[in-house]
Amino acid sequence: KDVQKEREPHVYLSKEEVKEKIQSYNSSVTDKLKMTLNANGIYTGFIKVQMELCRPITVQSSHSQGRSAPSNQETAFYLPDGCVNTLHISSTNTVREVIEALLKKFFVADNPAKFALYKRCHKEDQVYTCKLSDREHPLYLRLVAGPKTEMLSFVLREHETGEVMWEAFSIPELQNFLRILDKEENDQLQMLKNRYAAYRGKLEEALRGVLKPG
């Protein structure tokens, strides 16, 4: 169930409270992805983000990395369902910075403004998905919820705009989308041809059996 972002007040924890929560968190970790508290009060740790993208992403090749303008070295493809990525971040990193870091890690050339980070949590035997604001701190949410992803997990999606805002995409991106659609259309057409060819073969075989003398 998708719901609007709940207005949850950010509880400012003292350094001692943070230390206690991190100790409790680390004692419950089962995948070695523990948090570390620094002397300045900033803590670091890991979050896992599940990619739930409906549209293809544009990825830079190694030759085009670092260029601001689109190039022919960019390709678009669909990410497989359920793809999960792990990021090492600090308590000062915001949602917007996490999105940018996630896209940069995998050389995604799309504008970060096209994406939003959601939290998925269990409440009263139901699963809720809430969009996070750009200035929230994912590692703080992870610390408060504990390490169990059943209690809290993060999901990257495209912004829900009702309809796709095609003007937000570059010309090379749109051209890549068209190529993907052409390929999908050809694949579906070939599947239909193969299916009917198989039916035709079975019918012809049945006819030969009926018409066979004797």
PDB file of all heavy atoms in Angstrom, residues 203-214:
ATOM      1  N   LEU A 203      -1.166 -29.271 -36.580  1.00  0.00           N
ATOM      2  CA  LEU A 203      -2.352 -29.491 -37.406  1.00  0.00           C
ATOM      3  C   LEU A 203      -2.017 -30.286 -38.660  1.00  0.00           C
ATOM      4  O   LEU A 203      -2.751 -31.206 -39.051  1.00  0.00           O
ATOM      5  CB  LEU A 203      -2.982 -28.143 -37.782  1.00  0.00           C
ATOM      6  CG  LEU A 203      -3.736 -27.410 -36.671  1.00  0.00           C
ATOM      7  CD1 LEU A 203      -4.116 -26.000 -37.131  1.00  0.00           C
ATOM      8  CD2 LEU A 203      -4.989 -28.187 -36.273  1.00  0.00           C
ATOM      9  N   GLU A 204      -0.919 -29.931 -39.318  1.00  0.00           N
ATOM     10  CA  GLU A 204      -0.516 -30.650 -40.518  1.00  0.00           C
ATOM     11  C   GLU A 204      -0.171 -32.097 -40.210  1.00  0.00           C
ATOM     12  O   GLU A 204      -0.479 -33.012 -40.982  1.00  0.00           O
ATOM     13  CB  GLU A 204       0.679 -29.932 -41.161  1.00  0.00           C
ATOM     14  CG  GLU A 204       0.316 -28.575 -41.754  1.00  0.00           C
ATOM     15  CD  GLU A 204       1.532 -27.828 -42.273  1.00  0.00           C
ATOM     16  OE1 GLU A 204       2.668 -28.269 -41.971  1.00  0.00           O
ATOM     17  OE2 GLU A 204       1.343 -26.803 -42.962  1.00  0.00           O
ATOM     18  N   GLU A 205       0.467 -32.309 -39.032  1.00  0.00           N
ATOM     19  CA  GLU A 205       0.788 -33.676 -38.631  1.00  0.00           C
ATOM     20  C   GLU A 205      -0.484 -34.483 -38.371  1.00  0.00           C
ATOM     21  O   GLU A 205      -0.594 -35.654 -38.752  1.00  0.00           O
ATOM     22  CB  GLU A 205       1.653 -33.654 -37.371  1.00  0.00           C
ATOM     23  CG  GLU A 205       2.108 -35.019 -36.912  1.00  0.00           C
ATOM     24  CD  GLU A 205       2.985 -34.948 -35.678  1.00  0.00           C
ATOM     25  OE1 GLU A 205       3.369 -33.821 -35.288  1.00  0.00           O
ATOM     26  OE2 GLU A 205       3.290 -35.991 -35.096  1.00  0.00           O
ATOM     27  N   ALA A 206      -1.479 -33.827 -37.711  1.00  0.00           N
ATOM     28  CA  ALA A 206      -2.759 -34.494 -37.455  1.00  0.00           C
ATOM     29  C   ALA A 206      -3.489 -34.822 -38.753  1.00  0.00           C
ATOM     30  O   ALA A 206      -4.076 -35.907 -38.911  1.00  0.00           O
ATOM     31  CB  ALA A 206      -3.633 -33.628 -36.559  1.00  0.00           C
ATOM     32  N   LEU A 207      -3.439 -33.878 -39.714  1.00  0.00           N
ATOM     33  CA  LEU A 207      -4.076 -34.116 -41.003  1.00  0.00           C
ATOM     34  C   LEU A 207      -3.441 -35.266 -41.761  1.00  0.00           C
ATOM     35  O   LEU A 207      -4.138 -36.091 -42.379  1.00  0.00           O
ATOM     36  CB  LEU A 207      -4.035 -32.839 -41.853  1.00  0.00           C
ATOM     37  CG  LEU A 207      -5.036 -31.737 -41.468  1.00  0.00           C
ATOM     38  CD1 LEU A 207      -4.742 -30.461 -42.259  1.00  0.00           C
ATOM     39  CD2 LEU A 207      -6.465 -32.204 -41.735  1.00  0.00           C
ATOM     40  N   ARG A 208      -2.156 -35.363 -41.697  1.00  0.00           N
ATOM     41  CA  ARG A 208      -1.469 -36.462 -42.369  1.00  0.00           C
ATOM     42  C   ARG A 208      -1.877 -37.794 -41.771  1.00  0.00           C
ATOM     43  O   ARG A 208      -2.018 -38.792 -42.468  1.00  0.00           O
ATOM     44  CB  ARG A 208       0.054 -36.270 -42.275  1.00  0.00           C
ATOM     45  CG  ARG A 208       0.601 -35.185 -43.203  1.00  0.00           C
ATOM     46  CD  ARG A 208       2.122 -35.276 -43.338  1.00  0.00           C
ATOM     47  NE  ARG A 208       2.783 -35.019 -42.065  1.00  0.00           N
ATOM     48  CZ  ARG A 208       3.179 -33.826 -41.659  1.00  0.00           C
ATOM     49  NH1 ARG A 208       2.952 -32.762 -42.429  1.00  0.00           N
ATOM     50  NH2 ARG A 208       3.775 -33.661 -40.492  1.00  0.00           N
ATOM     51  N   GLY A 209      -2.084 -37.793 -40.419  1.00  0.00           N
ATOM     52  CA  GLY A 209      -2.500 -39.032 -39.778  1.00  0.00           C
ATOM     53  C   GLY A 209      -3.910 -39.436 -40.168  1.00  0.00           C
ATOM     54  O   GLY A 209      -4.212 -40.618 -40.335  1.00  0.00           O
ATOM     55  N   VAL A 210      -4.811 -38.433 -40.333  1.00  0.00           N
ATOM     56  CA  VAL A 210      -6.195 -38.729 -40.712  1.00  0.00           C
ATOM     57  C   VAL A 210      -6.291 -39.183 -42.156  1.00  0.00           C
ATOM     58  O   VAL A 210      -7.055 -40.107 -42.499  1.00  0.00           O
ATOM     59  CB  VAL A 210      -7.068 -37.492 -40.477  1.00  0.00           C
ATOM     60  CG1 VAL A 210      -8.470 -37.688 -41.050  1.00  0.00           C
ATOM     61  CG2 VAL A 210      -7.162 -37.176 -38.992  1.00  0.00           C
ATOM     62  N   LEU A 211      -5.535 -38.521 -43.044  1.00  0.00           N
ATOM     63  CA  LEU A 211      -5.590 -38.803 -44.473  1.00  0.00           C
ATOM     64  C   LEU A 211      -4.728 -39.973 -44.908  1.00  0.00           C
ATOM     65  O   LEU A 211      -4.774 -40.384 -46.065  1.00  0.00           O
ATOM     66  CB  LEU A 211      -5.201 -37.551 -45.273  1.00  0.00           C
ATOM     67  CG  LEU A 211      -6.069 -36.303 -45.036  1.00  0.00           C
ATOM     68  CD1 LEU A 211      -5.502 -35.127 -45.810  1.00  0.00           C
ATOM     69  CD2 LEU A 211      -7.529 -36.574 -45.465  1.00  0.00           C
ATOM     70  N   LYS A 212      -3.965 -40.534 -43.973  1.00  0.00           N
ATOM     71  CA  LYS A 212      -3.077 -41.638 -44.325  1.00  0.00           C
ATOM     72  C   LYS A 212      -3.887 -42.860 -44.728  1.00  0.00           C
ATOM     73  O   LYS A 212      -4.811 -43.263 -44.019  1.00  0.00           O
ATOM     74  CB  LYS A 212      -2.174 -41.967 -43.127  1.00  0.00           C
ATOM     75  CG  LYS A 212      -1.121 -43.006 -43.458  1.00  0.00           C
ATOM     76  CD  LYS A 212      -0.214 -43.212 -42.260  1.00  0.00           C
ATOM     77  CE  LYS A 212       0.881 -44.222 -42.588  1.00  0.00           C
ATOM     78  NZ  LYS A 212       1.774 -44.460 -41.417  1.00  0.00           N
ATOM     79  N   PRO A 213      -3.614 -43.457 -45.896  1.00  0.00           N
ATOM     80  CA  PRO A 213      -4.366 -44.627 -46.365  1.00  0.00           C
ATOM     81  C   PRO A 213      -4.258 -45.793 -45.372  1.00  0.00           C
ATOM     82  O   PRO A 213      -3.261 -45.964 -44.711  1.00  0.00           O
ATOM     83  CB  PRO A 213      -3.682 -44.982 -47.690  1.00  0.00           C
ATOM     84  CG  PRO A 213      -2.980 -43.735 -48.111  1.00  0.00           C
ATOM     85  CD  PRO A 213      -2.580 -43.040 -46.845  1.00  0.00           C
ATOM     86  N   GLY A 214      -5.277 -46.620 -45.357  1.00  0.00           N
ATOM     87  CA  GLY A 214      -5.254 -47.822 -44.531  1.00  0.00           C
ATOM     88  C   GLY A 214      -6.226 -47.783 -43.412  1.00  0.00           C
ATOM     89  O   GLY A 214      -6.397 -48.766 -42.730  1.00  0.00           O
TER      90      GLY A 214
END
